[in-house]
């Protein structure tokens, strides 16, 4: 299950005003480690898994990372002040997204 905090919804609204067709992608590492990246020109492939949508914005991850780390977890998209990855469109807004996860309890 994917939900969003008020901070995340506010950041999404700001980004929509600038980039109406962006997506959020949980990167699998490299230069910035695992980080939520905001892109408006990212080409999704067959190995990209859609975690869900918040305010009609798709949130994606590579399917192997989903199965290894997030499958079976409740997820909350959040946003905090401070710069995240300089490769992400939210960088200039001095805010960035975070993804909190909790194991589902039965």
């Amino acid at each position: 299950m994917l939900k969003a905090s008020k901070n995340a919804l506010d950041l999404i609204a700001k980004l929509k005003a600038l980039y109406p067709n962006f997506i959020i992608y949980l990167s699998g590492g490299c230069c910035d480690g695992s980080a939520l990246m905001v892109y408006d020109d990212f080409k999704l492939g067959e190995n990209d898994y859609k975690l869900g949508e918040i305010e009609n914005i798709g949130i994606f991850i590579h399917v192997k990372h989903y199965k290894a780390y997030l499958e079976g977890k409740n997820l909350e998209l959040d946003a905090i002040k401070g710069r995240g990855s300089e490769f992400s469109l939210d960088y200039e807004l001095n805010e960035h997204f975070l993804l909190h996860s909790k194991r589902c309890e039965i």
Side-chain angles (χ1 to χ4, degrees):
M1 180 173 148
L2 178 65
K3 61 182 184 174
S5 70
K6 181 182 179 330
N7 290 342
L9 295 173
D10 290 346
L11 182 52
I12 285 172
K14 291 175 192 174
L15 287 163
K16 275 186 168 182
L18 299 169
Y19 311 99
N21 298 311
F22 72 91
I23 66 163
I24 301 171
Y25 195 94
L26 181 57
S27 69
C30 185
C31 304
D32 288 314
S34 292
L36 286 165
M37 308 293 284
V38 178
Y39 298 118
D40 67 346
D41 62 353
F42 189 81
K43 183 174 179 171
L44 294 167
E46 63 184 39
N47 290 315
D48 294 315
Y49 178 81
K50 188 174 190 177
L51 291 172
E53 283 188 7
I54 303 289
E55 298 292 314
N56 296 315
I57 300 300
I59 301 159
F60 299 87
I61 186 172
H62 191 281
V63 70
K64 285 185 181 179
H65 292 138
Y66 170 74
K67 289 182 181 286
Y69 305 112
L70 297 180
E71 189 170 38
K73 298 200 173 147
N74 289 318
L75 304 172
E76 181 180 31
L77 184 67
D78 196 6
I80 61 170
K81 297 288 183 195
R83 288 199 162 101
S85 170
E86 65 184 270
F87 300 113
S88 181
L89 294 174
D90 55 5
Y91 181 78
E92 291 300 321
L93 297 176
N94 196 34
E95 295 180 73
H96 64 279
F97 290 109
L98 297 174
L99 189 65
H100 302 289
S101 65
K102 278 189 186 175
R103 186 174 33 172
C104 294
E105 301 294 328
I106 297 177

